[in-house]
Amino acid sequence: MVFGSDLTIEQMETGLSRIRNRGIAEVFAHMHMIEGWGSGIPDMFMDAQQYGLPEPILEDRGSDFGYSVAAGLIRIYW
């Protein structure tokens, strides 16, 4: 379970999200840094498909999660 909640990687891939820090979320929304709640991860998968890249890899780390995306022939890890 990601972030110590009942949220799974599979749910995140479909756009389900949970706000962990409402204050930070509200600041980001006010600054127009958020396009829509839960849209980022599904967008990563759609963009990879659109550009013919391998799907991103999401990793459940319990209290957080990691992901890697392909940039050309190089895979980048966060």
Side-chain angles (χ1 to χ4, degrees):
M1 301 298 165
V2 181
F3 303 127
S5 72
D6 60 347
L7 187 63
T8 66
I9 293 288
E10 291 77 20
Q11 290 170 320
M12 292 174 67
E13 290 175 5
T14 67
L16 185 64
S17 66
R18 301 263 195 286
I19 297 173
R20 292 178 35 192
N21 186 317
R22 186 155 302 280
I24 290 174
E26 289 175 4
V27 168
F28 284 174
H30 180 73
M31 296 172 65
H32 305 286
M33 295 177 69
I34 297 173
E35 291 181 21
W37 303 116
S39 64
I41 291 177
D43 284 350
M44 289 179 6
F45 280 85
M46 287 190 311
D47 289 348
Q49 183 178 21
Q50 178 181 347
Y51 293 106
L53 298 171
E55 283 191 346
I57 297 172
L58 304 180
E59 178 185 358
D60 184 350
R61 297 181 183 164
S63 63
D64 65 356
F65 79 101
Y67 64 94
S68 65
V69 294
L73 299 176
I74 301 170
R75 189 165 279 283
I76 302 170
Y77 298 90
W78 276 276

